[in-house]
Every structure is written in C-alpha cells, then in structure tokens.
Amino acid sequence: MNKRRIIWIELLRIFACIGVIGIHVASQHFHDMPVNTSVWAVSNFYHGINRYAVACFVMISGGLYLDRKRTWNLKKLWTHSILPIAVAYIFWQVFYALYRSLTDEGLKFGSVAFFKRFLVMISDPYFHLWYLPMLIGLLIITPMLWEIVNSKNGKQWEEYMILLYLIFKILPYTVKVFPIPCKEHVMNVLNTVQPQMVTGFIGYYIAGHYLYQYGVSKKLEKLIYILGIVSISMGILFCYIRSQQKGTDIQDFYENYTLAAFFWGISVFLFFKNYVSKIKWNDKQEKRICFVGSCTFGIFLIHVLVRSLLHKAGIDSMMISNTFIAIPIVIALIFTLSFGAVVIIKKIPVLKKWIV
C-alpha cells in the first residue's frame, strides 16, 4: 500500500464526509417546504447529488479492511476496531438523546416525562448514527470475507457476490419505487430471496475491495461513469416529478439501495482512484490531507450538533433567498466548525481515543 494510494483515499474520505453534510444540509427544509417551490427543487438537487457519500464510505472500509496485506487477529479486531466504534456510538447516542431532551421546550428537566423521553431517544439510533452499528456488523464478518476475497479464486468470488448484490438488493429496491403493472406480484418474485442483517451494505463493502484491488477496464470505467451520471440525474428528476404529482416530498429514486446511488457512488470512487490519485502533493500537503482525513470520523459524529446550533442561530439552507448558493455556504461552515471542534477534542487524551 503506497503513499499515493493512501492520499487519494484520504481525499475521498474528506469528500464523502462533505457529501454526508451536504445531504443533511439539503434535508433541512426538504420535508417542510412545498414541493412546488424553488427552495425544494434546489434541496432535492443537493439531496441527490451527494448520494455518493455513504457508498464511498463503505467502499473505503471494504478496500482497506479486506486488503490482502492485512492479517486478522480476532482479539485485535474487537479491541482495536470494533470497541472504539461501539464506545463512540454509545457516547454520541446518549449525547444526542440528552441534547434533544434538553432542547425540547415541552419537557421539564428532571421530570418523569423528561426521563421517559430520554430513554426512548437512546433506544433508537439518531438519524445519522445508524452508520456505526452497520459498520460494526461489517467488521464482525470481515475476517470471513477476507478469507473469501483473498483466496485463490478471490476475484471470481467478488464478482459473484457483487452480481448477487445487484440482483437481490439493488434491483428490487429500485424496481419498488416505480409504478409498474402488477407491482406487488413482481416485488414478491424479486424478494423470493431476502438478504437481511448487515448484507444490506455488504455489496458496497466488497465492491470497494474489488475496485481497490483490481480496478476495471477503461471501457467498463467509461460505462460506469455514464451510468453514474445518467442514473443520479434521472433519480433527481424522478424524485422531482413524483413529488409534484403526489404533492409531498419523495426521495426514493436516489436512496442508498438504488441503482442511482450504486453507480454514482462507484463512479466517484473510481474517479478518485484513477485520476485524483495521480495528483502530486508535497510532504506538507500530504500531512495536512492525512490529518483532515483522520478527523472525518469525528466530523461525521459532531456535524449534526453544529447544524442544529447554526439552525437555531438562523443559519441554514434558507438564510438567504438564493438556496443554491446558501447550501454550499452552510456545508462549508458546518465542515469547518466541526473540524475545529474535533481538533480541540483530539487534544484531550481520553476523548481523543474514544469519541472522535
């Protein structure tokens, strides 16, 4: 694993982190604005265009954790990889439950109602924290996957598993959102085999390793770029059209398990691997990139708090009349403030190890 590959991965990690923030900034008024307004249309655009983020995060993990140069020790896996994520999840889940309870004007601190509400909020992952239990699930089965993908016929096994993922997960989810004849019966056929548990993202995980390890031919790469751009564009357009027809916000056509998100995420991953990786950086620049990349986990965890505080201060996607400009400004502001907060937290030894 050479230095340049690490740099492009760190840059992709930063870009994916910005994408997650972009989704959450675009969603601020996605559900409370009339769908026939320009504000909603712009929010829909940014909501869709950033859908590469989760796919790329999972593919980065797959590319690194399944790398054949790794050796797996179960004790090290649980203590060094899984435990820190679990502790961070518990900490931030409790933190956000407490924050939401304290900021709920209808609840009196210390009351029975406050305590009950707090317990309810702890029991269900906050809207962005679902990623951590999912990642823990993938890490739990990583040693088994590693043995498969790095076996003698590992490449063929990966191609087989990615194909299965497309057939049994991505295709049914995509078909489900279209109004087709006899839809219920078609879905019953497609869902005859129902992969559950962590298999929901396992295809992205394996695809990340496959693209990282083997890549694709130039011809297939161009096709993937075309499919990525066309599919995400059509996904955004279909969401807009369907929302106008239904009179309510719809985002089904570009969610994580759609063909749009799948090909768009893979397109971004391939672009960073094949083109961004060729950019030359000096030692100082590489050091800075790696440091920012190391902060993305913490930025991901804390950015929702920063978004909430800015919103209370009147800074959100509607702070100016031009939403198309406002959203990138808020994204940059949230990323910068979250990064600053993580840098400060990283100076505190115990917190540095366990919550960012």
Side-chain angles (χ1 to χ4, degrees), residues 133-252:
M134 182 276 294
L135 181 58
I136 289 173
L138 287 173
L139 288 173
I140 289 173
I141 64 172
T142 288
M144 294 179 287
L145 292 176
W146 187 92
E147 292 291 344
I148 295 172
V149 303
N150 291 294
S151 64
K152 180 180 178 181
N153 297 314
K155 184 178 180 181
Q156 288 75 19
W157 281 120
E158 288 191 84
E159 292 170 349
Y160 175 69
M161 288 187 284
I162 294 170
L163 179 62
L164 292 181
Y165 185 68
L166 273 168
I167 294 173
F168 292 113
K169 189 67 180 182
I170 300 296
L171 182 60
Y173 195 95
T174 302
V175 171
K176 182 181 67 175
V177 304
F178 287 94
I180 60 176
C182 303
K183 181 176 179 178
E184 179 182 352
H185 304 294
V186 172
M187 290 308 302
N188 286 339
V189 172
L190 291 176
N191 289 324
T192 300
V193 178
Q194 300 183 33
Q196 300 297 332
M197 304 294 284
V198 298
T199 55
F201 280 92
I202 197 172
Y204 284 119
Y205 198 64
I206 294 170
H209 175 263
Y210 184 89
L211 296 174
Y212 180 87
Q213 187 70 43
Y214 305 110
V216 295
S217 67
K218 286 295 182 182
K219 187 175 181 180
L220 180 56
E221 181 184 355
K222 291 179 181 178
L223 176 61
I224 290 173
Y225 289 147
I226 293 172
L227 289 173
I229 295 171
V230 171
S231 62
I232 197 62
S233 299
M234 295 303 293
I236 293 171
L237 178 61
F238 287 154
C239 283
Y240 177 81
I241 294 173
R242 183 65 64 81
S243 296
Q244 304 307 307
Q245 293 172 343
K246 297 291 185 179
T248 186
D249 56 272
I250 291 174
Q251 60 187 60
D252 295 345

Side-chain angles (χ1 to χ4, degrees), residues 6 16 23 39 42 113 132 162 168 201 213 217 283-284 307 326 328:
I6 294 174
I23 292 173
V39 172
V42 172
L132 272 63
I162 294 170
F168 292 113
F201 280 92
Q213 187 70 43
S217 67
D283 291 341
K284 183 178 291 187
R307 187 192 77 153

Side-chain angles (χ1 to χ4, degrees), residues 21-76:
I21 296 174
I23 292 173
H24 295 155
V25 171
S27 68
Q28 283 185 299
H29 296 288
F30 188 82
H31 303 294
D32 59 26
M33 287 297 296
V35 296
N36 60 352
T37 61
S38 61
V39 172
W40 188 89
V42 172
S43 297
N44 177 54
F45 170 77
Y46 280 110
H47 215 219
I49 206 70
N50 285 295
R51 285 289 168 168
Y52 65 87
V54 173
C56 284
F57 265 135
V58 178
M59 286 191 284
I60 288 171
S61 296
L64 296 178
Y65 281 115
L66 294 176
D67 186 72
R68 67 177 56 185
K69 296 177 182 177
R70 277 185 176 267
T71 55
W72 284 106
N73 175 284
L74 291 181
K75 181 179 179 181
K76 185 176 181 180

